[in-house]
Amino acid sequence: MVNHPAAAALEKIAAEYRAAYLAHAAQRAPFAARVRYTENNVEMAFPDGTWDTVTEQVGEVLTISDPLTGQVGMYLAIMQGETPGFLAVRLKLEGERISEVEHIISTRRNLSGPPTPIGDVREFRHDPDLERPVPPAERVSRAELVRLADGYFSTLENNTGEIRGTRFAPGAFRFENGMHFPNVEADFRLGKYRFNERVRDRDHFLVDEERGIVMSRGFIDHKGVLDHFQLTDGTPWRSIFREPHSWSLLEMFKIKGGLITAIEATFIAAPYYARSPWAQPGR
């Protein structure tokens, strides 16, 4: 539980948003007169998309907040009838009213080309440390939190085995669409992701300083040119990408003592070199 009163107020409104979303009843949450709304990078009238189809929240929600920018993020699992999915949400408030809503919803349909595993929404659990405040002695500045998160993307881009601009705690792990990847730094040092041509349109828009979490948006591009290559230990490897392809993501990083301890991401397939409607000019 956060101690900052402004953060608590943001997270209360986030809970109201979630309740309204699950009830298909926008009037139950405090929305501005005009709401800008996107789902999977498509801008549309509000409410639409999964606001009409969601049937259930599965398990607990992970909520993070940034009083400085008036933004709040949520990661949760949902059902749309018999279709399971992982949902990441960004809300921006003006005053005490929601003016921006951004959804990335990942289902098996959104992960084709190439097929990618997706976890079981009923088995998935957020790591409990994610929502805990970081002890003051282990906190770093807001700018350093952003630098370390961006360094993760720099390491992921054209991954050669070099760790660029970030640091990992021993045992740092990642959840992607509910799937557990336990060896983050080891996989990077092996160069398993060399087929990532670019990690672009990076935007670290929410910093929860009390919890030591950065929430970010970005795209990972695969040109589809690289085929066979070797890992840094000499193991033969092959890219799974055979054509131009991009991933779109909303990803969060937990940082304590200047080290990334955990990562949680919701991502979907996107047309090659697609951009988010929220992308900043010049990025």
Side-chain angles (χ1 to χ4, degrees):
M1 182 68 69
V2 292
N3 295 315
H4 195 293
L10 284 171
E11 293 176 25
K12 178 178 180 293
I13 291 174
E16 293 171 354
Y17 175 88
R18 197 172 72 256
Y21 172 67
L22 293 168
H24 312 283
Q27 69 273 16
R28 297 190 184 183
F31 290 101
R34 181 183 181 278
V35 178
R36 189 179 178 199
Y37 172 52
T38 67
E39 190 161 89
N40 287 0
N41 302 309
V42 177
E43 192 158 357
M44 61 190 78
F46 178 81
D48 203 338
T50 59
W51 262 84
D52 295 330
T53 55
V54 64
T55 54
E56 179 186 359
Q57 176 184 323
V58 182
E60 297 298 318
V61 62
L62 171 65
T63 305
I64 56 178
S65 55
D66 183 351
L68 187 65
T69 63
Q71 296 186 98
V72 59
M74 292 179 281
Y75 288 81
L76 62 154
I78 66 166
M79 298 293 295
Q80 298 173 82
E82 297 179 353
T83 302
F86 290 92
L87 174 65
V89 179
R90 177 188 67 89
L91 307 177
K92 184 170 184 179
L93 278 72
E94 295 181 6
E96 296 182 350
R97 296 200 168 270
I98 301 164
S99 61
E100 295 181 0
V101 178
E102 179 179 5
H103 283 189
I104 292 289
I105 172 68
S106 179
T107 66
R108 289 192 183 278
R109 178 180 63 84
N110 302 127
L111 289 173
S112 59
T116 299
I118 185 169
D120 186 332
V121 296
R122 299 199 182 276
E123 295 296 325
F124 175 69
R125 300 290 183 273
H126 300 288
D127 180 72
D129 192 52
L130 291 174
E131 66 178 0
R132 295 175 186 142
V134 172
E138 296 182 66
R139 296 181 189 178
V140 297
S141 70
R142 185 183 185 93
E144 182 67 359
L145 289 169
V146 169
R147 188 188 74 81
L148 291 165
D150 195 68
Y152 175 93
F153 287 146
S154 294
T155 300
L156 185 62
E157 180 177 85
N158 188 26
N159 172 221
T160 62
E162 177 187 7
I163 305 299
R164 308 178 186 117
T166 197
R167 299 169 64 206
F168 296 96
F173 61 89
R174 182 176 71 248
F175 276 104
E176 293 182 355
N177 296 332
M179 294 291 292
H180 182 230
F181 295 82
N183 302 308
V184 174
E185 184 171 7
D187 286 345
F188 278 149
R189 291 196 179 277
L190 284 170
K192 284 188 174 181
Y193 307 104
R194 193 176 302 177
F195 41 69
N196 292 337
E197 180 75 16
R198 291 175 291 263
V199 183
R200 62 173 167 82
D201 291 357
R202 309 176 194 181
D203 190 358
H204 310 290
F205 51 79
L206 187 159
V207 181
D208 188 324
E209 297 182 62
E210 189 171 350
R211 292 188 179 94
I213 288 177
V214 180
M215 186 176 181
S216 309
R217 178 192 306 109
F219 287 82
I220 305 172
D221 293 327
H222 315 104
K223 288 182 73 69
V225 175
L226 182 66
D227 191 356
H228 294 276
F229 61 100
Q230 284 190 338
L231 302 184
T232 57
D233 66 358
T235 301
W237 212 250
R238 193 179 189 198
S239 172
I240 60 174
F241 299 99
R242 297 286 178 270
E243 60 183 316
H245 171 278
S246 296
W247 292 125
S248 169
L249 57 89
L250 287 179
E251 190 156 4
M252 52 145 290
F253 306 90
K254 177 81 173 188
I255 298 166
K256 294 195 292 186
L259 304 173
I260 294 177
T261 64
I263 301 136
E264 188 169 325
T266 300
F267 66 95
I268 58 168
Y272 181 65
Y273 224 88
R275 298 201 75 198
S276 167
W278 305 102
Q280 300 297 312
R283 283 182 181 265

